[in-house]
Amino acid sequence: RGMSSKIESVLAPFIYVMFPVPKAALLPILFVFFGLGDLSKIILVYLILYFQITLAVYDAVKGIPKALFLSASTLQLKGVQLYKHVVFPAILPSIFTALRVSVGIGIAVLFFAETYATNIGLGYFIMNQWSLLNYEAMYAGIILLGALGYVIFRGIDVLRYNLVRWT
């Protein structure tokens, strides 16, 4: 099962060690290396979503039935053809599921990251309005976060509908 036991033996320990580490704990380190600006926050969101999606893809590849690989070998599919006709179509639904789950996580992390060492962004805006007791503006910011999530979620739905019609 899976595509390459050699690659798995190298990557799995790294993923197993790094995935459980709360990436938010890395924010001070990212601030030191990349400054207090947007880059450190983008890297934080990326790190969290990378491991989330990587695990989903890893499990999806491990879950491809052996019969599909046997069928592909009878058709003499190798290399790019194997990935194009067997692996990618088999894991695509799992990738979209991971993307959908990651939208909420990504927005939550973005909110968290924007509440530290900044004076811009929705996270800062919401927390600032809360501290100013301007609840209408605070709720407007929260609704805007929800709208952002909705737009991204619907975009993923459109992509899924166009790319994964067999599910």
Side-chain angles (χ1 to χ4, degrees):
R1 297 204 111 144
M3 293 303 298
S4 171
S5 59
K6 289 178 185 177
I7 292 173
E8 181 179 359
S9 68
V10 171
L11 292 181
F14 172 74
I15 291 170
Y16 290 173
V17 167
M18 289 304 297
F19 181 73
V21 173
K23 307 310 173 285
L26 301 176
L27 193 56
I29 296 168
L30 294 174
F31 282 159
V32 168
F33 285 109
F34 301 105
L36 299 175
D38 291 338
L39 181 60
S40 57
K41 295 165 191 164
I42 290 168
I43 292 171
L44 177 67
V45 172
Y46 170 80
L47 284 172
I48 291 171
L49 298 183
Y50 169 79
F51 285 99
Q52 184 82 20
I53 293 169
T54 298
L55 275 179
V57 169
Y58 174 80
D59 289 342
V61 171
K62 297 287 282 180
I64 297 173
K66 189 174 183 177
L68 286 180
F69 289 110
L70 293 174
S71 297
S73 68
T74 62
L75 295 170
Q76 298 179 343
L77 295 180
K78 293 183 181 177
V80 173
Q81 287 183 328
L82 181 65
Y83 280 93
K84 180 180 177 183
H85 297 291
V86 176
V87 175
F88 193 64
I91 67 171
L92 203 52
S94 295
I95 291 172
F96 278 106
T97 299
L99 286 173
R100 290 165 56 109
V101 170
S102 296
V103 167
I105 294 168
I107 290 175
V109 171
L110 180 66
F111 170 81
F112 172 76
E114 288 179 342
T115 60
Y116 288 95
T118 187
N119 58 2
I120 58 171
L122 277 173
Y124 169 79
F125 176 80
I126 291 168
M127 295 307 289
N128 187 50
Q129 296 309 308
W130 172 68
S131 67
L132 296 173
L133 304 177
N134 186 355
Y135 297 122
E136 293 86 8
M138 178 192 75
Y139 285 122
I142 293 168
I143 290 169
L144 193 54
L145 272 180
L148 174 65
Y150 177 81
V151 168
I152 295 170
F153 210 88
R154 291 300 297 155
I156 292 169
D157 284 347
V158 168
L159 281 173
R160 181 177 185 174
Y161 177 77
N162 289 313
L163 295 175
V164 191
R165 292 185 182 233
W166 60 88
T167 59

